Each structure stands twice: as structure tokens, then as C-alpha cells.
Amino acid sequence: MSESILHMDNIEKHFGNVIALNGVSFDVKPGECHCLLGDNGAGKSTFIKTMSGVYRPSQGQIYMGGKPVQFGSPRDAMAAGIACVYQDLAMIPLMSVARNFFMGREPTKGKFLWKRFDTEHADEITMTEMKKMGINLRSADQAVGTLSGGERQTVAIARAVYFGAKVLILDEPTSALGVRQTSNVLATIDKVREQGVGVVFISHNVRHALAVGDRFTVLNRGQTLGTAARGEITSDELQDLMAGGQELAQLEGSLGGTI
Amino acid sequence: MSESILHMDNIEKHFGNVIALNGVSFDVKPGECHCLLGDNGAGKSTFIKTMSGVYRPSQGQIYMGGKPVQFGSPRDAMAAGIACVYQDLAMIPLMSVARNFFMGREPTKGKFLWKRFDTEHADEITMTEMKKMGINLRSADQAVGTLSGGERQTVAIARAVYFGAKVLILDEPTSALGVRQTSNVLATIDKVREQGVGVVFISHNVRHALAVGDRFTVLNRGQTLGTAARGEITSDELQDLMAGGQELAQLEGSLGGTI
Amino acid sequence: MSLENDSTVDERLKEESRVARLMKRPELGAVAGALLVAIFFMFTADGSMFTLSGIINILSPAAQLGILAIAAALLMIGGEFDLSIGSMVAFAGLVFGFCVVNFDLPLILAIPITLIFCAGVGAVNGQIVLRTGLPSFIVTLAFLFILRGLSLVGLKAATGGSTQLRGVRDAVEGDPLAPFFSGDAFQGFFQWAASMGWIDTFRSGLPKVPGIPVEIIWFIVLAGVATYVLLKTPAGNWIFAAGGDKTAASNSGVPVRKVKIALFMLTASCAALLAITQVLDAGSTDARRGFMKEFEAIIAAVIGGCLLTGGYGSAIGAFFGSIIFGMVVIGLTYTNIDQDWFQVFLGSMLLLAVIFNNAIRKRVTGER
Amino acid sequence: MSLENDSTVDERLKEESRVARLMKRPELGAVAGALLVAIFFMFTADGSMFTLSGIINILSPAAQLGILAIAAALLMIGGEFDLSIGSMVAFAGLVFGFCVVNFDLPLILAIPITLIFCAGVGAVNGQIVLRTGLPSFIVTLAFLFILRGLSLVGLKAATGGSTQLRGVRDAVEGDPLAPFFSGDAFQGFFQWAASMGWIDTFRSGLPKVPGIPVEIIWFIVLAGVATYVLLKTPAGNWIFAAGGDKTAASNSGVPVRKVKIALFMLTASCAALLAITQVLDAGSTDARRGFMKEFEAIIAAVIGGCLLTGGYGSAIGAFFGSIIFGMVVIGLTYTNIDQDWFQVFLGSMLLLAVIFNNAIRKRVTGER
Amino acid sequence: ANIIVVSHGQANDPFWSVVKNGVEMAAEHTGADVDYRAPETFDMVAMSQLIDAAVNQEPDGLVVSIPDADALGPSIRRAVNAGIPVISINAGSDVSKSLGALLHIGQEEYDAGKVAGEKLKAMGGKKGICVNQEVGNVSLDQRCAGFTEGFGGNVAILPTTNDPSEIESKVRAALDSNPDVDTIMALGASTAGEPTVAAVKSLGLSGDVRVASFDLSADFLKAIVDGDATFAIDQQQFLQGYMAVDFLALNADYGLMPGGNVPSGPNLITAEKAAQVIDLSAKGIR
Ligand SMILES: Nc1ncnc2c1ncn2[C@@H]1O[C@H](COP(=O)(O)OP(=O)(O)OP(=O)(O)O)[C@@H](O)[C@H]1O
Ligand SMILES: Nc1ncnc2c1ncn2[C@@H]1O[C@H](COP(=O)(O)OP(=O)(O)OP(=O)(O)O)[C@@H](O)[C@H]1O
Ligand SMILES: [Mg+2]
Ligand SMILES: [Mg+2]
């Protein structure tokens, strides 16, 4: 397989007296979907925020294309080709959908002094991209704060996908999505992967992970439990690992293993 | 079957020029888990917010135990025995977990002037209840803003369950939860249902819904598509209904129907 | 996937009138407030208030306030405050007066020096806010005191003991740039209009209004540019984003720090611009110039619909907010109301104007 | 499920020192700032600043400011502002003076009347804010003007044309309640201490400090009660919740409206309390009393770590914030700094104190 | 000697900056160590606290202004009881003695206003405006009250802030809506006086409307010379600062003290005298 685009080496992250990450290594290759799994509070979001320049690692080094890099801000990471959908979505509730969609990367028209935000173009693209994901927006002018949870999540995903990147990071992108939207997102992941983009996909849903994942890394309490390739691991093994290796709650059986 | 505790009759809700609900009827009986399903933006959250006193319906009437009621505020609804876990969780990020847990219903000790917030008791209960759900909090003093997405959601659920009620409403409670936490929550729903509480459960995950649901109502674009009892409907039929009746995106097949 | 077949009208949208759509814009609520106040004075004030000269008389202080208020509104939308702009007016006046009177610099040098100097102070403000993470309220408050104090010390040094620096008018006599920053514009036109008998004149035949005070021109231009930037440029989007949620904006790639620093520099420059026009008009500057103007600017911005918490508001709103404030302050002298009641009326009128504007907007947009 | 076997120490927690834990509390950062300022004056000020009488002299204005600042802090934590408290001091002074001088009421009636009246105005403030949904900034700003104006009009009416109402001291002569609201407490003790030579005396043999001014007692009591309420009662939790996120709090069953109205009534009552002690102490009131105190109160609360956006802060912080502010304002007069530089130093000291407090807290808690 | 001055006027107030200049010159001349202090706004409670602070430092002399005898009385008595020689300046001539001050230097605001009012009435004034840039500041209110009394009653008070452009607009508004106004009294030359002159000029009413002002400023004096303003009331506040410090320094060194109050004004500056004082005013001496 090819060289990895992004390699995180032995990352640690401390918040005051809390050790959120305690030496995690991870890499993404072009054209693969690498799933990051783990229990609640395992440190997945913290890890990908380190990857995308939100946090500076307390220890450890990030390499892109083999070269050590340091991201001062998410803007730096974006410039380097890392797009990210955060779990909290990073949207401004008071701003319109279109303005949120293009936030930080506004399309312009005109030249010099007349270079201006091309709002019609932005509105149009927003509507189109949202429709591709299965959401019919009433208007691109609607404030994000008035969208439903799933509509909001879709905006964040559509945005990251639209702007393309070498690495696409998705933190629980499907958590609030309906059936149709979920299948659209998984299909989209499949599509961008085929274009040679490396995808990092976080999910608590084993089926979603197995549907698109090429490799699976499980985090537990700030440390890696190991990485497995597709086919090396069964759904049940994965599920056990994701639950942190602790025994599942006793009622699971009575619910028919349907989770 | 017994009389319904809560009956919503032909509810409409308009936001300015947006019609979010266009005549929805719904009821919950004691000891049943009634699942509310539907596509993103179908109006589920709006509907349960009307149920729990956050919004006043633009049209329609709410009955509790057969009598018409009007909730001026969520506090009124709570007093009438309705507990709710909102999709946005209704937590204050800057406040500690324990303070959020007991927000609005603080335990007190002492008498008269010395009646005070029993913080030790609150801390203890918070830790215990969270542990029951499968989350080991570091300390009940931690600010909610520093919790992971799933930890936060668990606090909201544990809170609603702990304070008990005649009707328990859960808006996508499992969306950010890990495998272990999810199975805990489903088990909890099962438990409170057995105690005669009526549960309203919103989810996009057909398996979760089928695991605990007694009846299933599907919303689409602000209107009910109908209600089915357990056993009257198959998983696939439900999935089709939830996707709004529109054909699933073409790639679904290639992903192996795993969603 | 084809899109056309989906792009039918959404059945979940009620019809919305054009008026309703317009009134949803934050800027247009303030227009209703301004109208209410104007109508109030139509009934209570002396007729001379609504003559050409009366209107200019009201617009002139409103414009001076507005130059600050528009900048303050931009900064507030961007999520920060600048309490030092009032003191900055005095400080910039000192710097400018010093350049012109003590160093005999021509305006072409004195004005850029003043603007750059003040923008520099604004940048320092911004840097401290961003570096320390302290609220801008407290940082710029410190500069409120510091700049006010420095103006006093500087004035005394420049004049040898007085708190007033004078002689600016003599010093800039004949400077080609002066007409852009002081006096009245379009004087020829007004003279001509007077000679045609279209506008009021004094007994001497001179027009009562010799022209439009330049600060009004600046005010209108500034409002236009600020509105354009806010609504039609990427920078405007960044301002809204930075004020709406700093973390989310920065996570989405908005250069939040740069935006905020630029806004701090902008407010300081606008204060300097105001100082320059005031000093050139008055011919002097003193240590109390701009006293409390920072609050009036914030008031005007809030009347115009800006949120104190950032992320929402408009320059046009601040424009009309300044006009409302100016109209109320000056307008009461045109009425027969006992001036002891001035503050009571000022407060009541502000409250009424804002409640009215709010009520109108709610009614039109059908919010609950 | 058994819990005991899980309750082991979490391996993901680093050890945290006691100091670090303490410094995390918002109130304790302000202590560091206060210490820094005190140390600065140790080196620069006249020795008499840190004698008993010097300290009382600093605490007395700090206490007067603090009575407002603590109330303002509670309100700010609850997510609202009250800009009318400064004017309320003048207005309450008028009401109180009017009761005592014009109606000859005893304090046992005059004080409750004043408090109730002002709390009523506070409630009106709150009602308007909640009913209209307007920002409290603009609503209470209107009341800033209205109350200031009414004080002026009322004073002129009460005195027949003057803006100063005098003669309160004579009117309350011998009233048994007066010692609780004016003068010095523990006078006997101080006299005795002076006669024992433990404290400084004037050449005349009288103790330099005749007692502890009652406002200091009120200040300390208020800080204690406010802290208790905030941290140890359900109401305190509601205040934090209401300020942190109004919607979330209300969705969780917090009676947000009641909490906010109560807070508005509290700030107004505290302003009235301050007015009563000031009027009794000074024996007079005028239309300018309390001018700008609303801002000083907010400044003190912010120095003490309150967030302007609500939901975070402490009463103890406001307590030390007031002391920092009082110490800087009065302390500068004990130094040889020229009055012209006063504001420059005031601003710099405030900035330094706040930056220091912030830096200490960050370092101790290991934030990035 | 170590002398402290506590006044109710801020260091950046044009009037009080002249007092402060007087204080500083006296300090230079006598070699005394002098501190000038004032509250941040007109605030009697804060001022009494500043007096207390001064007393704690046990200076060899204390200079105070007394705009509110009730509020400041206890603090001044405390100074006197502590054995500190006190001289009152500017405001408070009526209470100075009874509070234990050695003497008073200055002029009552009320009396000065009255003198000015009488003069303007004698010049033919019928209807007047008093431009007050700080309503509620008792010493400014007294100026207006005295003016009203001397002028014979027909006076409206025009409250403003001290923003020149606002004052100019308000004066224009007042003149526009009350054409029979023929007299305007401004309470401060640089803050209110100059914009008032500008307003009158822009309405083409110079000569028809008489403008007078308290205190001096170079530009206002120039307006007097040019005939755009009538006179300015000078209380020679430089003397209040200078003499008070001088007396106390001499008192500390040699026990000297004059036997009675020193009136430093009122002193009407009209066109004849104005030209001479312009330069002094520009330097902050008059
Ligand atoms: N700013 C912070 N300060 C202190 N602790 C933090 C902070 N951010 C995260 N943590 C802690 O670090 C741990 C890891 O959090 P993280 O958000 O990375 O978990 P996660 O794996 O994304 O969980 P989830 O699946 O629930 O989203 C959590 O226990 C959380 O409480
Ligand atoms: N305050 C509001 N103003 C205007 N429109 C709103 C408002 N709140 C909700 N809506 C609209 O109403 C519709 C229903 O929203 P709701 O949040 O109830 O959906 P939902 O069924 O909960 O969706 P999801 O599964 O994505 O959470 C959405 O299209 C949303 O855009
Ligand atoms: Mg996460
Ligand atoms: Mg929802």
C-alpha cells in the first residue's frame, strides 16, 4: 500500500490535570477510510482536534507526507489539505446556512475594490450540495440556529466534502442523521475515498464503520487498543473492543443483540 | 390497553412563515414505549418541545389524563410529570456536572434560613447515576463544557431518568453514545417502562427503535404517516417509512444494507 | 441525481409579504424607531425643527456620533467592545493638534500620522485582548483612563499649562485638504439655490444653510462602505462569524485574530477621523473632547439592533440609531418641555423607540 | 451493578496541588490582583496608607462601591446588566431625603419605604426586559436617564429650586436606627483601644479611627450572604443557570423569569441601601450622587472575574474587585504622583492587576 | 512644608486646571511640597473620602473647596480637630468659618452669577438662556441660579453634555425655536462659551444676542475682542490656588496668616481688557 499522507506519532494531550490522550499513534493513507472507534470519552474528538490544528499536542509529532508539521490554527491545517467535520459542527447559529457553508472560504466575484462575496453563487451551491445529501432546504438564507439537528449536521458534512482535501476527518457525522441522509453520507465517503482522499471516520455504529472502513483503530481511555484491517476482525470482536473491553451491560442479551 | 396519559390532538406549530407541524396527533399510554420516527427536519423535535412546554402549539390541544392542559413553561410540564431529554441536551457548559444534573430541582438540607443546596449529596448521586449508565466521571465538579459529546448526553439522560415522571421523552438519546452506553440506555428505557411510565423515544436507528418500541409513529414533513404496533411492521417497512417514503439513495445496495 | 424535479415550491412555507421580508433585516427595525421619534416631534416641536437648517442642525451631531457608532457596531458584531474610543477622540485631537500647531505639518502629513498613530493604539488594544484572553471590556476600559490621562498631560506639555490647544485654524489656513475634513460641502450649490429662492436665507441674502457639513458626508459614506463590507465581502462574513462563535469560526478557518485586530484598528481610526474633523471645525482641542462618547456610540449601535453578545447587527442600524439618538437629544430643545425634564424624556424616548422598533419587527415577522 | 470495584483512582488524572485547586475558583484570582496592587503601594505610597486609619480610609469607598458591585455581579452572573444603579443611588437618596426631611418620617418608616420603592423600580426594569425581550443594557440605560432626570426634578421640587437637599442629619438626630446605617461601629472598643495606646491617636488624644464605618460591615455581610446564596442554595444554582443559557435553564425547569426579576430588585435595593447610608453620613443628597457608579460597579465585578456574557463569576470576586478599585483610586493620592497622571496610572494599575490575576490563574491551572 | 489641596474640580476641567497651575506655581515659589487631588466626577462622597485620606497624611496645611457643607463638614472638622490648618477656596465662604477653616479665598458662584445677571439685564436683556454643561453639579447649578436671580427671572436652563458640537446644535435649536431670546449665559468658556458663540454666529445673530460666559478661554476672549461675545466672568481662580498654598506655606514656616477672607472675584472681562488676557489664558494662568 502507498505511503501515508498523515501520520500522528505518539500524541499526548493534557488539559490541566486531565490526561485526555496518552501516546496515540495513527496514520491515514490516500484512498482509504480509517475508522477511529472507542467508548465515550476515550479521546477520539480530542485526537482529531489535534490532527486538525485546534489543539497543539502536549507531546508527539505530526507528519504530513513524511515531513514534520505544526499547525498553529485550523486555518493552517486546512491550507495543508485537512478538512474536518467537528462533533460540535463548528457552525454559527445566528448566521444563514449559505454563510456558514462558505465561512472562511467565501467565493468572490469582481476584481480589486469590487471583489465581493458572490452571494447568489453561494446560495445556489449550498442548496445544490444539501440536496445531494438528501435535504431540501427551504432557503439558503435560513439561520442555522433554526435548522433541525440532522439538517445542521448535513450542512457541516456537505461543507467539508465540497471543499475537498487530502484528508477528510468526520467526527460522528451520522449521529443525528436520518436513514436516507446516512446512506448518502456513507456513499459520499465511498466516493471521495475513490478519488484518493484519506478519510478518518469516527462512529459508534459498528455497522456504519464496517460498511465503509478499510482499517479500524480503537481508542480506550486515551490509548490505542490496536489497529485491524478490514476482514481481520468480526463485527462482534469490534463491538467488544469499542465497549472498552469491559463486559457489556447484562441486559444486552435480552434486547436481542440488536444494537 | 389502558387509557393514555398524554394525548396530543391535531397539533400545529408555525415559526413565522415556516410550518413545522401541520396537524399531528399522538398519544402515550402508561407502561408503553412509543417511538417517534421520521426523516431529518420532519418535525420530531418541534413536536416533543410542544409536548414538554417549550413551545405553545399554534393550533391543537394537549390532554393529560383526559383533561385539557396548557403548559406555560417546561417547569409547568415537569410539575405535571413530564420529563424530557432534549436533542440539544439543555445543559449549561460553564456549570459543573452535578449542578447541571440537579438544575431546577436542587436537593436541600437544613431548615428555614439554613435550608441549603446539599452539594455533597448532589455530587454523590451524580457520580452514582452516571456510573449506572456506564460513565466513570472523574469528578462531579468538572464543567459540562469539558465533557465529551457522549458523556454530556449521558448526563442529560441520567438526569431525566433519575427524577422519574409519568412521561419520559427522549429525543435521540443514543445518537452520541458508545456501544456500552447505548445498551445501558435501552435497558433503562425497558426498566422505567415496566414501572408504568410512558416513554416517548425518538431515534433514527431502526434497530434501537425495534428493540424497545411498542408502537411506532412516523412523521413526514410535519404530518403523521401513521402509527403501527410492534409486530405489525417489519424492519424494512419501517426503514422505508422513516426515509420519508422516497426511494433510498442508489448506493445503499452497494453498501450491503448495513445501515 | 437530477435537481430540477425537486425544486418545486415547498408546501411548508406560508406566503411572506415583501414588507415582512424587509423588516426581518436588523437594520430596518431602526427605521421604524426613527420614524416614530420624528412623528413625535412633528407634533410637539417648534416648526423650525423640520426646516432645512433645523434638519442639518440635528444631523450634524448625529453624524459625529454616527462615525463612532458605525465603527463600534462593526466591532460589536465582531464580538468585542472598545470603551476607549471617547478618550481616543481627545487623544487623537491632541496628536493632530500637536502635528499641526507645534510642528507646522501640512494636513497631508498630519492626517495620516494621526490616523496611523491611533490605529496603532487600536492594534495594541486588540493585541492585549487576544494575547491575554481578557474581556475587551476591561482592557479598553484601562485605555479609556490611560488615553484620557495622556491627553491631559500631553495638552499641558504642548501648551505650557492649559488644557486647551488652540490655533489650529490659523495653522491650516489655505491647506488644500482642509475642505475635505471641515466646514460645509456643496457651498456653491446652496448659494445658487438661495439665490433662486429655493432655500431659506438670512436678511443678508446668504443661505441659512451654507452647505452640508462634511461630517454628514463622511457619516453617509462610512455607513455605505460598512454595510457593503458587512453584507457583500468575505471580511463581512468573517466579522459575523468571529462575533457569533469565536471557536466555531476559527475551527472553520476564519482568521479570527486578524479580523478582531483590524476591527480594533478601525474603531480607533474612526475616532481619529472624528477628532480631525472636530479639531478643524472648532480650531481647538481640549482634554474633555469625546467624553462619554464611547457609551453613546454603543447606545446608538444597540438602538440600531446590534447584540451586545456579538454576531448580530448592522451598520445601517447604527446609522439610524445615531440619528434617533441625535434627534432625541437635540429635538427636545425645540419643544416647550421644561428642560429639567430633559433626561426623563431622553430615557423615555429611547425606550419607546426601541420597544416600538422591536414590536414592529416581531409583529411583521410573526415571531411569538 | 456494584460500584465499589470501579471507584479506584482514575489513571487519567494528574496530581493537582491544593493551591491549583483553590486558584481555579473565580474568586481567588482577584486576591492575587489585590495583593499585587497592595505590594505596589507598599513601595510607592506614603507610609500612612497602611496604618489603621489609612486602611479604613481605603475600605470605606471600596465598601460603598462594593455594595453595588456585589449586586451587579449577581445580576451579571444571571445574564443581565443594570445600568440604572448609579442613577438609582441619586433617586433613592431623593426619596429617602424627602421622607425624612419633608415628611419628618422616622427611619423605621423611611428606610423600608425607600427600599420598597426602589425594589419596585427594579421590578419594572426587569419586567420590561423580560416582556419585550430587549437587551437589559438598553432598557436600564433608559432608566439611567429617567431616574437621573427624576432626581433632578424631584430635588428641585423638594427644595424649591436647589439641586441639593440638606438637613438630613438634623432630621434623624437621635433616631435609634441611625447607627445601623451611618457613622462608625464599635466606637467604644476603638476609644478603649486608643486609651490603651494600641491604636494611633491625634494630637488631641482622640483615636484617629473612631470606629469601623458601618458601610464596611454591610459590605462584608453582603459579600458573605451573596457568596452563600450563590454557592450553597438552589437560588444560586438558578442564577448561574439563568445566566449561562436562558433557554437550557428554562427547559430544565429553572424559573428563569422569577430569578431575573428578583436580581433586578436586588440591585435596586442595594443601590437604595447605599443611598441611605450615604445620605445619613453626608447629611445631604444632590442630583449628581452615584454618577457613573454603575460602570464602576461593573468594572469591579469584571476585575473580580465575572463574565460580561453571564453564567460565570462570584461575589467574593466582586468583593476583591471593589477593594482593588478602591485601593487604586485612593491609593494614588498617597503617592507623589501628579494628579494629571492620575488617570494614566489608574488605567495601568487596573490593567496590570487584571492581567496578573489572569496569568496567575492560567499558570496554576495549567491552561494553555 | 507639606500641603494638600482637595477640590471638587477635576484636573482636566479647564477652570480647575488653572487653579492647579496656581497651586503648582506657589509650590515652586515657596518650595512647599504640594499635592492636588480631586474626585473623578462631581461627587461629594468621594471628595470627603479624599479629605480623609489627606488628613491621614497629617500635612502642614490643607486647602479645600466646600460645595456641600453637610457632606464635607465632618471630614473638614476632623482635619481641624487633628490640628491641621485649613483654608477653603472657591465655594463655601458662608460655612468656612463655622467649620473651622482659617479663611476663605474665592468668590461665591451664586454671587458671581448674580452680578453677571444684573449687568446683562442692565444691557437690555429680556429673555435669557443658561447653558449648563453638567446639570447636577451644584456649583454650576448655583451659577445658573445666581444668574437667574440677577437677570430678573426670565431664564431657561439648557442642559447639555460637554460635547462642543452638541452644545452648538442645542443653542441653535433653542434660538430657532425661541426667537425672543436675547441673552445667553454659558457656564464655562471653552466647553460651553465657544460653541455658543459659534452657534450665534452661524445663525447670523451676532450683536442681536448677547453671549456671556463664566471663566476664560483664549478663543472666547478673542470673541469678546471681535464683538461676538459680551464679557466673561473671571474669578481669578489662579489666585485661589496660589494664595491658599502660599498662605499655608508661610503659616507652616513662620506662623503667618491674614486676618480675613480674600475675595478673588468677580471680575468682568469686557472687550477693553480681553486682549491683554488672551495670552495668559492660553497658558492656563487666567
Ligand atoms: N477542555 C477540556 N478540559 C478538560 N477535560 C477535557 C477537555 N476536553 C475533553 N476533556 C476530557 O477528555 C476526555 C476525552 O474527550 P473526547 O471529547 O476526546 O472524547 P470522545 O472520544 O470524543 O468521546 P465521545 O464519543 O463521547 O464524543 C473526556 O473524558 C473529557 O472529559
Ligand atoms: N425556530 C425555528 N424557526 C424556523 N424554523 C424552524 C425553527 N425550529 C425548527 N424549524 C424548522 O422546522 C422543521 C422541523 O424541525 P425539527 O427540529 O422539529 O426536526 P426533527 O424532526 O427534530 O429533525 P432531526 O431528526 O434532524 O432532529 C425543520 O425544517 C426546521 O428547519
Ligand atoms: Mg467526541
Ligand atoms: Mg430533532
Side-chain angles (χ1 to χ4, degrees), chain E residues 116 119-120 123 211-213 215-216 220-227 229-234 267-278 286:
Chain E
K119 178 93 192 273
L120 286 164
M123 294 169 85
V211 181
S213 174
D215 311 338
L216 305 181
F220 192 80
L221 289 167
K222 191 144 172 304
I224 297 177
V225 173
D226 297 345
T230 312
F231 62 78
I233 304 157
D234 181 17
N267 183 7
L268 300 191
I269 308 274
T270 50
E272 304 93 66
K273 280 189 269 178
Q276 313 157 15
V277 275
I278 290 186
R286 291 198 70 167

Side-chain angles (χ1 to χ4, degrees), chain B residues 75 99 103 106 116-117, chain D residues 231-232 237-238 251-253:
Chain B
R75 201 172 169 82
R99 281 180 176 266
M103 178 162 63
E106 293 77 6
R116 59 199 185 278
F117 185 5
Chain D
L231 297 181
K232 292 281 167 197
N237 213 28
W238 297 351
N251 284 358
S252 308

Side-chain angles (χ1 to χ4, degrees), chain B residues 140-163:
Chain B
D141 259 359
Q142 197 175 358
V144 160
T146 65
L147 290 184
S148 81
E151 289 168 343
R152 217 176 289 191
Q153 198 167 48
T154 313
V155 178
I157 300 169
R159 170 171 73 178
V161 171
Y162 175 76
F163 285 105

Side-chain angles (χ1 to χ4, degrees), chain D residues 250-286:
Chain D
S250 143
N251 284 358
S252 308
V254 173
V256 172
R257 298 177 69 91
K258 279 190 206 150
V259 169
K260 294 203 168 185
I261 299 261
L263 288 174
F264 275 109
M265 292 172 69
L266 174 77
T267 49
S269 308
C270 283
L273 172 66
L274 176 63
I276 291 170
T277 64
Q278 281 194 347
V279 171
L280 283 177
D281 260 338
S284 68
T285 184
D286 65 58

Side-chain angles (χ1 to χ4, degrees), chain C residues 199-217:
Chain C
I199 58 174
D200 282 353
T201 56
F202 291 120
R203 274 158 270 172
S204 60
L206 284 175
K208 268 201 172 174
V209 179
I212 295 182
V214 286
E215 61 263 30
I216 297 183
I217 315 264

Side-chain angles (χ1 to χ4, degrees), chain B residues 54 74-75 78 86 88 90-92 94-95 99 102-106 108 113-117 119-120 128 131-132 136 138 159 184, chain D residues 1 3 6-7 10 12-13 228 230-234 236-238 240-241 244-245 248-255 307 310-312:
Chain B
V54 174
R75 201 172 169 82
M78 265 176 212
Y86 297 96
D88 57 14
M91 305 265 228
I92 319 275
L94 282 174
M95 277 167 61
R99 281 180 176 266
F102 286 96
M103 178 162 63
R105 281 166 300 200
E106 293 77 6
T108 51
L113 262 185
W114 307 119
K115 197 166 147 181
R116 59 199 185 278
F117 185 5
T119 38
E120 296 82 45
T128 319
K131 219 162 250 171
K132 279 195 202 153
N136 289 325
R138 275 182 281 271
R159 170 171 73 178
N184 273 323
Chain D
M1 197 184 287
L3 297 168
D6 274 344
S7 58
D10 196 314
R12 292 169 75 190
L13 273 179
Y228 176 78
L230 270 184
L231 297 181
K232 292 281 167 197
T233 67
N237 213 28
W238 297 351
F240 279 110
D245 185 337
S250 143
N251 284 358
S252 308
V254 173
L307 283 189
Y312 189 80

Side-chain angles (χ1 to χ4, degrees), chain C residues 266-284:
Chain C
L266 175 76
T267 50
S269 308
C270 282
L273 171 65
L274 176 63
I276 291 169
T277 65
Q278 280 194 345
V279 171
L280 284 176
D281 260 337
S284 67

Side-chain angles (χ1 to χ4, degrees), chain D residues 48 53 57 61 64 152 163-164 166-167 169 202-203 208 278 282-284 288-289 333-334 338-340 342-343, chain E residues 11 20 24 36-38 40 42 45 49 52-53 56-58 67-71 78 82 134-136 141:
Chain D
S48 60
S53 71
N57 187 218
Q64 300 195 353
L152 181 70
T163 56
Q164 200 175 48
R166 311 176 55 165
R169 210 165 306 150
F202 284 122
R203 277 158 256 179
K208 270 197 172 178
Q278 281 194 347
S284 68
R288 205 80 182 159
R289 283 288 154 82
T333 68
Y334 281 95
D338 188 284
Q339 175 84 14
D340 287 353
F342 176 80
Q343 291 186 306
Chain E
K20 182 161 181 283
E24 275 162 8
Y36 179 94
R37 294 163 191 174
E40 277 306 280
F42 181 87
V45 176
Q49 285 152 358
D52 287 342
N56 283 337
Q57 291 167 61
E58 302 193 60
D68 182 342
D70 276 345
R78 189 161 164 264
E134 208 179 332
V135 174
D141 293 340

